[in-house]
Amino acid sequence: MPKKMKRFRGRRPDATRPVTFRKDVAPRALGSVLCSFGKTSVICAVTLEEAVPRWMKEQGTSGGWITAEYSMLPYSTEPRKARDVTRGRPDGRSQEIQRLVGRSLRAIADLERLGPRTLWVDCDVLEADGGTRTAAVTGAYVALALACGRLRDRGLLESWPLRDSVAAVSAGIVDGRPLLDLDYAEDSAAEVDFNVVMSGRGQFIEIQGSGEEATFSDRQLAAMLTLARRGIRTLSAAQERALPKNLHRR
Amino acid sequence: MPKKMKRFRGRRPDATRPVTFRKDVAPRALGSVLCSFGKTSVICAVTLEEAVPRWMKEQGTSGGWITAEYSMLPYSTEPRKARDVTRGRPDGRSQEIQRLVGRSLRAIADLERLGPRTLWVDCDVLEADGGTRTAAVTGAYVALALACGRLRDRGLLESWPLRDSVAAVSAGIVDGRPLLDLDYAEDSAAEVDFNVVMSGRGQFIEIQGSGEEATFSDRQLAAMLTLARRGIRTLSAAQERALPKNLHRR
Amino acid sequence: MPKKMKRFRGRRPDATRPVTFRKDVAPRALGSVLCSFGKTSVICAVTLEEAVPRWMKEQGTSGGWITAEYSMLPYSTEPRKARDVTRGRPDGRSQEIQRLVGRSLRAIADLERLGPRTLWVDCDVLEADGGTRTAAVTGAYVALALACGRLRDRGLLESWPLRDSVAAVSAGIVDGRPLLDLDYAEDSAAEVDFNVVMSGRGQFIEIQGSGEEATFSDRQLAAMLTLARRGIRTLSAAQERALPKNLHRR
Amino acid sequence: MPKKMKRFRGRRPDATRPVTFRKDVAPRALGSVLCSFGKTSVICAVTLEEAVPRWMKEQGTSGGWITAEYSMLPYSTEPRKARDVTRGRPDGRSQEIQRLVGRSLRAIADLERLGPRTLWVDCDVLEADGGTRTAAVTGAYVALALACGRLRDRGLLESWPLRDSVAAVSAGIVDGRPLLDLDYAEDSAAEVDFNVVMSGRGQFIEIQGSGEEATFSDRQLAAMLTLARRGIRTLSAAQERALPKNLHRR
Amino acid sequence: MPKKMKRFRGRRPDATRPVTFRKDVAPRALGSVLCSFGKTSVICAVTLEEAVPRWMKEQGTSGGWITAEYSMLPYSTEPRKARDVTRGRPDGRSQEIQRLVGRSLRAIADLERLGPRTLWVDCDVLEADGGTRTAAVTGAYVALALACGRLRDRGLLESWPLRDSVAAVSAGIVDGRPLLDLDYAEDSAAEVDFNVVMSGRGQFIEIQGSGEEATFSDRQLAAMLTLARRGIRTLSAAQERALPKNLHRR
Amino acid sequence: MPKKMKRFRGRRPDATRPVTFRKDVAPRALGSVLCSFGKTSVICAVTLEEAVPRWMKEQGTSGGWITAEYSMLPYSTEPRKARDVTRGRPDGRSQEIQRLVGRSLRAIADLERLGPRTLWVDCDVLEADGGTRTAAVTGAYVALALACGRLRDRGLLESWPLRDSVAAVSAGIVDGRPLLDLDYAEDSAAEVDFNVVMSGRGQFIEIQGSGEEATFSDRQLAAMLTLARRGIRTLSAAQERALPKNLHRR
């Protein structure tokens, strides 16, 4: 690797990749979006089940539930990625990500207001170039808001069940330099890799940071969190533009 | 059900649904297309593996291989369809379909000319309204032709490996009346259901016909085959329009 | 392969192999038969479950159900075929066949008359020399008729639940020549392979035809259907001879 | 249950059920037999693999290997027994039995003389009325001897690889009374259940005895072993009668 | 192997290894013990479930149930043993052993007195040097007695549910010489291997004896049973010393 | 829950639970320890495989590998936790933790110095009262250092392969108050839950923080990181005391 890796198309260290949301890509879903961060694209689709998980019934918990599943389509990477079912069991990394997506959405949702139903949030990666988990969280919120809008239109909600918006972005240290929203080449070269989930109001929801072959200092942590905060502001604004006015967070 | 079920939007008994191909929906793939038959949409994407299956090596078979996988995305149906990996094992119907797609493509391919490599053809249903297997075969051919074009552009092919085009369509008997290209409602009401795979030159590749709760006569068989032949002509023409001139079948 | 492959023991192109039914090979079953087409032998055994599948209860469907399972015993082929359970998951081909057997029997059954019970039809191949699926369907009907006879004898049926008989036979194109009831060597050399399921009254129930590395014409299709129709007549007559008079189709 | 359970057809406490061997029931196998102990019938079939297990190669062990698999056909019991593959994993009891069959055969075989090959011994229960594991061992020996005869006929063996014959029988305590070769009703009522595997020369190979809800004394143990020894003599004689002279143990 | 294998630390042929019970190693369990036979150590822990298995409810069987699970921790052997879950399915040997442990405990328990609850007995091998199954049974009894003591202290038992104690020990023939309580090196060299489960009162519960590559005589059987009986006396005495007076068998 | 939850035994908000390391609990392992944080105890054991994973060979990566597996013993919680193998597939949470343990150890190891071998680090929870993943990381380091000491003693290492020590601790917000090293009751009541992995030299290795039903602020993040840093100092000192001088980090 050269001394200083140049970012694709001259992107600045503190800039996200272009973010887009193509709505209703999966017309059978209650709400869906193709969320792209540059060359990373994830289909996020929300479907409705008029029941809650067994454990909620058994524990007598009222309200609803939001759960997520994440998978990479075989042709999202090069070389092709074998399907989970071929290996006969789910992938540890996929499970880790789908748990993250589910927690992130539940953190900004008022499950009581959802009523006794489950929203399934499926995230299928169509194109992978780093940051699929952050694009999944960011897209999942938009699909969820669209889905809640449909529920409200059908008269199934008494009050709006989302307290805030949520987005996620990565930050990392590459060649000793803090960078925002790493693409695949940057991610592979990163000494430290952070994923930050924040609400639109600027509260933290989840921080995951790791230095696989390295450690990092307080100062580096601070720099990455500053970048992440900046990235979340950009993403939250894009989410707000993508959603009709009447679905904006209250 | 009324005496005579009306087709959606006044479609004639011998008409296919509107057919479209959106190319390059999966940019990492060697070739990809979103093939839609009305409200049925299937992502067909071809990826390259520079190796052949173990059995070919063991048997000393020369040339390459084409294999297919088929899956329904969870949000392609209502209610949501659980992922194969959740049930821990593949679905009998999915396996049946992916075997059909693979056989159909190999029937028009010259595997010798492909060279010692495997083309994986993944078909993921994004929206299901009947006829997902026929849309999968029809789209898979377009994705395959695009992929072969890329291989040729990279100088990996000495001669064009596709001898003909291939498309598939369904026909059935509903209320005693032969219909072409059944949608989900029609398929559910059909006494007999046929899937026909044919080459662009009008040769048969595969015929699968079944009357789950019924039987059918010679005359009905003939009527369905006539319809299917007509449908294949429409689909072949659409495939040809969708592909650049230099990828048309020789 | 020589120009014209000779059939084993000088069999004519339009002749089936010798067909036999050995009844009651599995004495614990409600009805059972060892059905042989030449050197292909399949144990077909019907057992009774006094309940219907969960989906029938959930959908409120009345009547009964007939379902099939198909498997090859490890010593039915050379080399030995590993058991499904060893590979941890069922075989795509086996699933395809058991779905075919189930559909074929349900097509001639009046499930309403069966009452709220399930008949399980197990087909285990004892010796495989091509045509195991057609022998399975053909034997399954005889086992089913025997089983229904027992149910009637026990006073469990008000009226006879089989509307017709059903048999299956293969036809194919080998060296350009249409042949009936292919054995393993012929099947391996066939350009086109058809399996036809028909009722004793001569109605079609299922047609499956495929040219893995080839295509076929209208004329060839017609020739194979003519052969198949002839083969079905032979098989139906053999089924009728095998069954006691009072179990013949009405 | 009455004070003293009467044995079926007035069988004496120290008598086995009628034992029969129907040879060559699975013609593709190297050797096969349908072994029946009264209403218990097991297909035992031996197939050849011209290779040894990976662990033998890794350990540099010379000679061959004999391994067994055991399964109950779904229609061998009432109610129907679901296939192993349906439950997705093998049955603990089946594994226990197939390990027993394998050990029993290896105890009387000279694996060195077998040469670098594996004999697979498949035991599939066609009809189950108690004692399926003892019928499996007893039939497996006959199938193995037939298979070794074929190997010798093909010139693949330099010397006879079986040092002795092997048979198995059960004994138990029912209503406080020792009985030989328990059928299903007796087995269900037994306080203690023994399976004894012995060689034709009267050496023990395996003893498995258990009192699920009970314990047993030295005296009872002695009585059961006496019965078992007597049963094995009967079975060994029957095996010898079933086999051609030139396949008798040396 | 030398003519006569010397036992580790000069152990006599009829001596067990040092036996110890470290109580309450798993403080969350109702009762637990680390049972060591020399260098073989097994964690035995009993947990309570206030329900009985589904089959007991369905059959209307009253009383409770005792069931066991057995597993080897990956670091109990050299080389490391892969976890069962890695292979995706349980190990045949493990299943055989856990069935043995369960049967042995139920043979001395009065399940009626246990009340409608299940005791789960988990046996995890921490260090393996031969005889893990006998240490598992022997330790499991101590853990079970401790657990029953806790149940009684909580007022959940009306009367003591254990009718006797139970212990297990191995005996074998090594170099033609009968030995008690084989360690791994001896077990690997044994011609015959016996596991005997007996009650504290000297009744047999289970006998499993096998000569994998050999057979054994009446005289050898008698010698092994004599050794086993002697070993069980030692183990029963050690169990009694390990347990508080008020938990001794009645 | 009362206004302010009192910590068990009056523990201060910024205090860890008592930390102990019992060495060599698994004598067959290369290095092992029972690491306890109060009532949470984890067996950490390191075993040696003289080979590297297939992907390292394929990628031509030199040096060695460290990988971890994590599991909860069934009796570590109340109610009993079913084994992974019973459910047929690994647990998402377990996979997440074992990936964390592996990454944490690799971050302080010099894999090049390890030589072409794999160290397997197994963490089995014996008693669970919150913080099992942090106890696993903290104990795993001690077991790893012991194992490396043995490798060095055997002359298998040229230079010491650990660059630093590593420990992990949790911090959280309970009733709005930051607490260090949460036990189960505290963890269940926490609004925010952080796990921090740090090296003995005070560098971060991993930060994972999540507010399942809540969000957290910059100020709260800072408070938790301050607590964690303090906890790591305590744990690192305890690790150093537990290890022989010649195994201390360089």
Side-chain angles (χ1 to χ4, degrees):
Chain A
M1 206 172 48
K3 269 243 176 81
K4 289 293 175 192
M5 199 173 179
K6 269 223 183 117
R7 304 202 87 180
F8 184 70
R9 296 202 171 151
R11 182 153 60 110
R12 288 176 32 184
D14 62 353
T16 61
R17 289 172 284 181
V19 180
T20 61
F21 301 96
R22 194 145 68 80
K23 282 176 285 184
D24 295 321
V25 289
R28 293 257 155 189
L30 196 59
S32 69
V33 81
L34 180 75
C35 172
S36 303
F37 283 18
K39 291 186 174 174
T40 287
S41 296
V42 185
I43 304 171
C44 303
V46 179
T47 46
L48 172 67
E49 184 187 4
E50 283 291 351
V52 291
R54 179 190 300 241
W55 63 262
M56 284 185 74
K57 277 182 244 163
E58 286 172 2
Q59 295 181 10
T61 312
S62 66
W65 190 245
I66 298 174
T67 190
E69 299 207 343
Y70 168 97
S71 183
M72 293 182 75
L73 288 163
Y75 34 82
S76 63
T77 58
E78 241 193 290
R80 181 181 182 273
K81 185 174 183 298
R83 290 175 191 267
D84 284 350
V85 76
T86 305
R87 291 173 305 116
R89 57 155 128 176
D91 180 305
R93 177 183 164 276
S94 290
Q95 286 188 59
E96 211 169 303
I97 294 177
Q98 69 196 21
R99 287 156 57 96
L100 170 68
V101 176
R103 284 196 306 268
S104 298
L105 297 175
R106 289 192 298 271
I108 55 100
D110 184 331
L111 296 172
E112 200 57 56
R113 292 188 175 182
L114 202 56
R117 52 180 62 96
T118 299
L119 292 178
W120 290 81
V121 182
D122 284 284
C123 300
D124 286 278
V125 179
L126 183 63
E127 200 188 352
D129 184 34
T132 64
R133 87 183 63 193
T134 54
V137 169
T138 306
Y141 168 72
V142 174
L144 179 63
L146 291 170
C148 289
R150 302 269 151 77
L151 285 183
R152 189 176 55 186
D153 294 350
R154 294 185 191 169
L156 293 170
L157 295 178
E158 292 186 11
S159 50
W160 189 243
L162 307 179
R163 289 191 291 244
D164 203 340
S165 67
V166 56
V169 77
S170 74
I173 309 284
V174 182
D175 297 330
R177 191 174 52 152
L179 293 184
L180 180 63
D181 187 22
L182 281 58
D183 65 23
Y184 181 75
E186 293 166 344
D187 192 63
S188 305
E191 294 107 53
V192 186
D193 182 24
F194 253 75
N195 289 292
V196 177
V197 184
M198 292 186 81
S199 74
R201 292 208 169 81
Q203 290 285 98
F204 288 110
I205 286 168
E206 189 107 15
I207 295 179
Q208 293 185 338
S210 167
E212 166 107 6
E213 309 289 320
T215 58
F216 54 99
S217 66
D218 263 338
R219 202 178 43 79
Q220 288 176 314
L221 171 61
M224 288 184 291
L225 291 178
T226 300
L227 281 180
R229 186 174 288 281
R230 183 186 174 102
I232 295 288
R233 271 197 302 268
T234 306
L235 296 169
S236 294
Q239 287 174 324
E240 195 157 338
R241 279 192 304 276
L243 287 169
K245 270 258 159 61
N246 65 348
L247 300 184
H248 287 185
R249 64 186 156 92
R250 307 299 136 101
Chain B
M1 207 170 47
K3 268 239 177 84
K4 289 292 174 191
M5 201 175 179
K6 271 224 184 116
R7 304 201 87 180
F8 183 71
R9 295 199 172 153
R11 182 153 60 110
R12 288 177 32 185
D14 62 354
T16 61
R17 290 173 283 182
V19 180
T20 61
F21 301 96
R22 195 145 66 80
K23 283 178 283 184
D24 296 319
V25 289
R28 293 257 153 188
L30 196 60
S32 68
V33 81
L34 181 75
C35 173
S36 303
F37 282 19
K39 292 187 174 174
T40 287
S41 297
V42 184
I43 303 171
C44 302
V46 178
T47 47
L48 173 67
E49 184 187 3
E50 282 292 350
V52 292
R54 179 190 300 241
W55 64 262
M56 284 185 74
K57 278 182 244 162
E58 287 172 2
Q59 295 182 11
T61 312
S62 66
W65 190 244
I66 298 174
T67 189
E69 299 206 342
Y70 168 96
S71 183
M72 293 182 76
L73 288 164
Y75 34 83
S76 63
T77 57
E78 241 193 291
R80 181 181 183 273
K81 185 174 182 298
R83 289 173 191 268
D84 283 350
V85 76
T86 305
R87 292 172 307 116
R89 58 155 128 176
D91 181 304
R93 178 184 162 275
S94 290
Q95 286 188 60
E96 212 169 303
I97 295 176
Q98 68 196 22
R99 286 156 59 96
L100 170 68
V101 175
R103 283 195 307 267
S104 298
L105 297 175
R106 290 192 299 272
I108 55 101
D110 183 331
L111 295 172
E112 201 57 56
R113 294 188 174 182
L114 201 58
R117 51 181 62 95
T118 300
L119 293 178
W120 289 82
V121 182
D122 284 286
C123 301
D124 288 279
V125 179
L126 183 64
E127 199 187 353
D129 183 35
T132 64
R133 87 182 64 193
T134 54
V137 169
T138 306
Y141 168 72
V142 174
L144 180 63
L146 292 169
C148 289
R150 301 271 151 76
L151 285 183
R152 189 176 55 187
D153 294 349
R154 294 184 191 170
L156 293 171
L157 295 178
E158 294 185 10
S159 51
W160 189 243
L162 307 180
R163 290 190 292 244
D164 203 339
S165 66
V166 56
V169 76
S170 73
I173 309 285
V174 182
D175 297 331
R177 192 176 52 154
L179 293 184
L180 180 63
D181 187 23
L182 280 56
D183 65 22
Y184 182 75
E186 293 167 344
D187 192 64
S188 306
E191 294 107 52
V192 186
D193 181 24
F194 253 74
N195 289 291
V196 177
V197 184
M198 292 186 82
S199 75
R201 291 207 170 81
Q203 289 285 97
F204 288 110
I205 286 167
E206 189 107 16
I207 296 178
Q208 292 185 338
S210 167
E212 166 108 5
E213 310 289 321
T215 59
F216 55 100
S217 65
D218 264 336
R219 203 179 44 77
Q220 287 176 315
L221 171 60
M224 287 184 290
L225 291 178
T226 301
L227 281 180
R229 187 175 286 282
R230 183 187 175 103
I232 295 289
R233 271 197 304 269
T234 306
L235 296 169
S236 294
Q239 288 173 323
E240 195 158 335
R241 280 192 305 273
L243 287 168
K245 269 258 158 61
N246 65 348
L247 301 184
H248 287 184
R249 63 188 157 91
R250 309 298 135 103
Chain C
M1 206 172 48
K3 268 244 177 78
K4 290 292 175 190
M5 199 174 180
K6 271 225 184 116
R7 304 202 88 179
F8 183 71
R9 296 201 171 152
R11 180 153 61 108
R12 287 176 32 184
D14 62 353
T16 63
R17 291 172 284 184
V19 180
T20 61
F21 301 96
R22 195 146 65 80
K23 282 177 283 183
D24 296 320
V25 289
R28 293 258 154 188
L30 195 61
S32 68
V33 81
L34 181 74
C35 173
S36 303
F37 283 19
K39 291 187 174 175
T40 287
S41 296
V42 185
I43 305 170
C44 304
V46 178
T47 46
L48 173 66
E49 183 187 3
E50 283 291 351
V52 291
R54 178 191 299 242
W55 63 262
M56 284 185 74
K57 277 182 243 161
E58 286 172 2
Q59 294 181 11
T61 313
S62 66
W65 190 244
I66 298 174
T67 189
E69 299 208 342
Y70 168 97
S71 183
M72 294 182 75
L73 288 164
Y75 34 84
S76 63
T77 58
E78 241 194 290
R80 181 180 183 274
K81 185 173 183 298
R83 289 173 191 269
D84 284 351
V85 76
T86 305
R87 291 173 306 116
R89 57 156 128 175
D91 182 304
R93 179 184 161 274
S94 291
Q95 286 188 60
E96 212 169 302
I97 294 176
Q98 69 196 21
R99 287 155 57 96
L100 170 69
V101 176
R103 282 196 307 267
S104 299
L105 297 174
R106 289 192 299 272
I108 56 99
D110 184 331
L111 296 173
E112 200 58 55
R113 292 186 175 184
L114 202 57
R117 51 181 62 96
T118 299
L119 293 178
W120 290 81
V121 181
D122 284 285
C123 300
D124 286 278
V125 179
L126 183 63
E127 198 187 355
D129 184 34
T132 63
R133 87 184 64 192
T134 55
V137 169
T138 306
Y141 168 72
V142 175
L144 179 63
L146 291 170
C148 290
R150 300 271 152 76
L151 285 183
R152 190 177 54 187
D153 294 350
R154 295 185 192 168
L156 292 170
L157 294 178
E158 293 186 11
S159 51
W160 189 243
L162 307 179
R163 289 190 293 243
D164 203 340
S165 67
V166 57
V169 77
S170 74
I173 310 284
V174 182
D175 297 331
R177 192 176 51 154
L179 293 183
L180 181 63
D181 187 23
L182 280 57
D183 66 20
Y184 181 75
E186 293 166 343
D187 192 64
S188 305
E191 295 108 50
V192 186
D193 182 24
F194 253 75
N195 289 292
V196 177
V197 185
M198 291 185 82
S199 74
R201 293 207 170 80
Q203 290 285 98
F204 288 109
I205 287 168
E206 189 108 15
I207 295 179
Q208 293 185 337
S210 166
E212 166 108 8
E213 311 289 319
T215 58
F216 53 101
S217 66
D218 264 336
R219 204 180 41 79
Q220 287 176 315
L221 172 60
M224 289 185 291
L225 291 178
T226 301
L227 280 179
R229 186 174 289 280
R230 185 186 173 104
I232 295 289
R233 272 196 303 268
T234 306
L235 296 169
S236 295
Q239 287 174 323
E240 194 157 338
R241 281 192 304 275
L243 287 169
K245 268 260 160 57
N246 65 348
L247 301 184
H248 286 184
R249 66 188 154 91
R250 307 300 137 98
Chain D
M1 206 170 47
K3 268 241 178 84
K4 290 292 175 193
M5 200 174 179
K6 269 222 184 120
R7 302 201 89 181
F8 183 71
R9 295 201 172 151
R11 181 152 62 107
R12 288 177 31 186
D14 62 355
T16 62
R17 291 171 284 181
V19 179
T20 61
F21 301 95
R22 195 146 66 80
K23 281 178 286 184
D24 296 320
V25 287
R28 294 256 155 189
L30 196 59
S32 68
V33 81
L34 181 75
C35 173
S36 303
F37 283 18
K39 292 187 174 173
T40 287
S41 298
V42 184
I43 304 171
C44 302
V46 178
T47 47
L48 173 67
E49 184 187 3
E50 282 291 352
V52 292
R54 179 190 301 244
W55 65 262
M56 285 185 73
K57 278 182 246 164
E58 287 172 2
Q59 294 181 13
T61 313
S62 67
W65 190 244
I66 298 173
T67 189
E69 298 207 343
Y70 168 96
S71 183
M72 294 182 75
L73 288 164
Y75 35 83
S76 63
T77 57
E78 243 193 289
R80 182 181 183 273
K81 183 173 184 300
R83 291 173 190 267
D84 284 351
V85 76
T86 305
R87 291 173 307 116
R89 54 156 132 177
D91 182 305
R93 178 183 162 275
S94 291
Q95 285 188 60
E96 212 170 301
I97 295 176
Q98 69 195 21
R99 286 156 57 95
L100 170 68
V101 175
R103 282 195 308 267
S104 299
L105 297 175
R106 289 192 299 271
I108 56 100
D110 184 331
L111 295 173
E112 200 58 55
R113 294 187 174 183
L114 201 58
R117 51 180 62 96
T118 299
L119 292 179
W120 289 82
V121 182
D122 285 285
C123 300
D124 287 280
V125 179
L126 184 63
E127 199 187 354
D129 184 34
T132 64
R133 86 183 64 193
T134 55
V137 169
T138 306
Y141 168 72
V142 175
L144 179 64
L146 291 170
C148 290
R150 302 270 152 77
L151 285 183
R152 189 177 55 186
D153 294 350
R154 295 183 191 170
L156 293 170
L157 295 177
E158 294 185 11
S159 51
W160 189 243
L162 306 179
R163 290 190 292 244
D164 204 340
S165 66
V166 57
V169 76
S170 73
I173 310 285
V174 182
D175 297 330
R177 191 174 53 151
L179 293 183
L180 181 63
D181 186 23
L182 282 56
D183 66 21
Y184 181 76
E186 292 166 344
D187 192 65
S188 305
E191 294 107 51
V192 186
D193 182 24
F194 253 75
N195 290 293
V196 177
V197 184
M198 292 187 82
S199 75
R201 293 208 169 79
Q203 290 284 97
F204 288 110
I205 287 168
E206 189 106 17
I207 296 178
Q208 293 185 338
S210 167
E212 166 109 7
E213 311 288 321
T215 59
F216 55 99
S217 66
D218 264 336
R219 201 178 43 77
Q220 289 176 314
L221 171 61
M224 288 184 290
L225 291 177
T226 302
L227 280 180
R229 187 174 288 281
R230 182 186 175 101
I232 295 288
R233 272 196 304 269
T234 307
L235 295 170
S236 294
Q239 287 173 324
E240 196 157 337
R241 281 191 305 274
L243 287 169
K245 269 258 158 58
N246 65 348
L247 301 184
H248 286 184
R249 63 187 157 89
R250 306 297 135 101
Chain E
M1 206 170 47
K3 268 242 178 81
K4 289 292 176 192
M5 199 172 179
K6 271 226 182 114
R7 302 202 89 180
F8 183 71
R9 296 201 172 151
R11 180 151 63 106
R12 287 178 32 185
D14 63 353
T16 62
R17 290 171 285 181
V19 179
T20 61
F21 300 96
R22 194 146 67 78
K23 281 177 285 184
D24 295 321
V25 288
R28 294 257 154 188
L30 195 60
S32 68
V33 81
L34 181 75
C35 173
S36 302
F37 282 18
K39 291 186 175 175
T40 287
S41 297
V42 184
I43 304 171
C44 303
V46 178
T47 46
L48 173 67
E49 183 187 4
E50 283 291 353
V52 292
R54 180 190 301 242
W55 64 263
M56 285 186 73
K57 277 182 245 163
E58 286 172 2
Q59 294 181 10
T61 313
S62 66
W65 190 245
I66 298 174
T67 189
E69 299 207 343
Y70 168 97
S71 184
M72 294 183 72
L73 288 163
Y75 34 83
S76 63
T77 58
E78 243 194 289
R80 181 180 182 275
K81 183 171 184 302
R83 290 173 191 268
D84 283 351
V85 75
T86 304
R87 292 172 308 115
R89 54 155 132 177
D91 182 305
R93 179 184 162 274
S94 290
Q95 285 188 60
E96 212 169 300
I97 295 177
Q98 69 196 21
R99 286 156 57 96
L100 170 68
V101 175
R103 283 195 307 267
S104 298
L105 297 176
R106 289 192 299 271
I108 56 99
D110 184 332
L111 296 173
E112 200 58 54
R113 292 187 175 183
L114 201 57
R117 51 179 64 95
T118 299
L119 293 178
W120 289 81
V121 182
D122 285 285
C123 300
D124 286 280
V125 179
L126 184 63
E127 200 186 353
D129 185 34
T132 63
R133 88 184 63 193
T134 54
V137 169
T138 306
Y141 168 72
V142 175
L144 179 63
L146 291 170
C148 289
R150 301 271 151 78
L151 284 184
R152 189 176 55 187
D153 295 350
R154 295 184 192 169
L156 293 170
L157 295 178
E158 293 186 11
S159 51
W160 189 242
L162 307 179
R163 290 191 292 244
D164 204 340
S165 67
V166 57
V169 77
S170 73
I173 310 284
V174 182
D175 297 329
R177 192 175 51 152
L179 294 183
L180 181 63
D181 187 22
L182 282 56
D183 66 21
Y184 182 76
E186 293 166 344
D187 191 65
S188 305
E191 294 106 52
V192 186
D193 182 24
F194 252 75
N195 290 291
V196 178
V197 185
M198 292 185 81
S199 75
R201 293 209 169 79
Q203 290 285 97
F204 288 109
I205 287 168
E206 188 107 16
I207 295 179
Q208 293 185 336
S210 167
E212 166 110 7
E213 310 289 321
T215 59
F216 54 99
S217 66
D218 263 336
R219 203 180 42 77
Q220 288 177 314
L221 172 61
M224 288 185 291
L225 291 178
T226 301
L227 280 180
R229 187 175 287 281
R230 182 187 174 100
I232 295 288
R233 271 197 303 268
T234 307
L235 295 170
S236 294
Q239 288 173 324
E240 195 158 338
R241 281 192 304 274
L243 286 169
K245 269 258 159 60
N246 65 348
L247 300 184
H248 286 185
R249 64 187 156 91
R250 307 298 136 99
Chain F
M1 206 171 48
K3 267 244 177 81
K4 289 293 175 191
M5 201 174 178
K6 270 224 182 119
R7 304 201 89 181
F8 183 71
R9 294 199 174 154
R11 179 152 63 107
R12 285 178 32 184
D14 62 355
T16 62
R17 291 172 284 183
V19 179
T20 60
F21 301 95
R22 194 146 67 80
K23 282 177 283 184
D24 296 321
V25 288
R28 294 257 154 190
L30 194 62
S32 68
V33 80
L34 181 74
C35 172
S36 302
F37 284 17
K39 292 186 174 176
T40 287
S41 296
V42 184
I43 304 171
C44 303
V46 179
T47 47
L48 173 66
E49 183 187 5
E50 282 292 351
V52 292
R54 178 192 300 242
W55 64 262
M56 284 186 74
K57 277 182 244 163
E58 286 172 1
Q59 295 181 11
T61 313
S62 66
W65 190 244
I66 298 173
T67 189
E69 298 206 345
Y70 168 97
S71 184
M72 294 182 74
L73 288 164
Y75 34 83
S76 62
T77 57
E78 242 193 290
R80 182 181 182 274
K81 184 173 183 301
R83 290 173 191 268
D84 283 352
V85 76
T86 306
R87 292 173 306 117
R89 57 155 130 178
D91 182 304
R93 178 184 162 274
S94 291
Q95 285 189 59
E96 212 170 302
I97 294 176
Q98 68 196 23
R99 286 155 58 95
L100 170 69
V101 175
R103 282 195 309 266
S104 298
L105 297 174
R106 288 192 300 272
I108 55 101
D110 184 332
L111 296 173
E112 200 58 54
R113 293 187 174 183
L114 201 57
R117 52 181 61 96
T118 300
L119 293 178
W120 290 81
V121 182
D122 285 285
C123 300
D124 287 279
V125 179
L126 184 63
E127 198 187 354
D129 184 34
T132 63
R133 86 183 64 193
T134 54
V137 170
T138 305
Y141 169 71
V142 174
L144 179 64
L146 291 169
C148 289
R150 300 270 152 78
L151 285 184
R152 190 177 54 187
D153 294 350
R154 295 184 192 170
L156 292 170
L157 294 178
E158 293 185 11
S159 51
W160 189 242
L162 307 179
R163 289 189 293 243
D164 203 342
S165 66
V166 56
V169 76
S170 73
I173 309 284
V174 183
D175 297 331
R177 191 174 53 151
L179 293 183
L180 181 63
D181 187 23
L182 281 58
D183 66 20
Y184 182 74
E186 292 166 344
D187 192 63
S188 305
E191 295 107 51
V192 186
D193 182 23
F194 252 75
N195 289 292
V196 177
V197 184
M198 291 185 82
S199 75
R201 292 208 170 82
Q203 291 284 99
F204 288 109
I205 287 168
E206 189 107 15
I207 296 179
Q208 293 185 336
S210 167
E212 166 107 7
E213 311 289 321
T215 59
F216 54 100
S217 65
D218 263 335
R219 203 178 42 78
Q220 287 176 316
L221 171 60
M224 288 184 291
L225 291 178
T226 301
L227 280 180
R229 186 174 288 281
R230 183 187 173 103
I232 295 289
R233 271 196 304 268
T234 306
L235 295 169
S236 294
Q239 287 174 324
E240 196 157 338
R241 280 192 305 274
L243 287 169
K245 268 259 160 56
N246 65 349
L247 301 184
H248 286 184
R249 66 188 155 91
R250 307 299 136 100

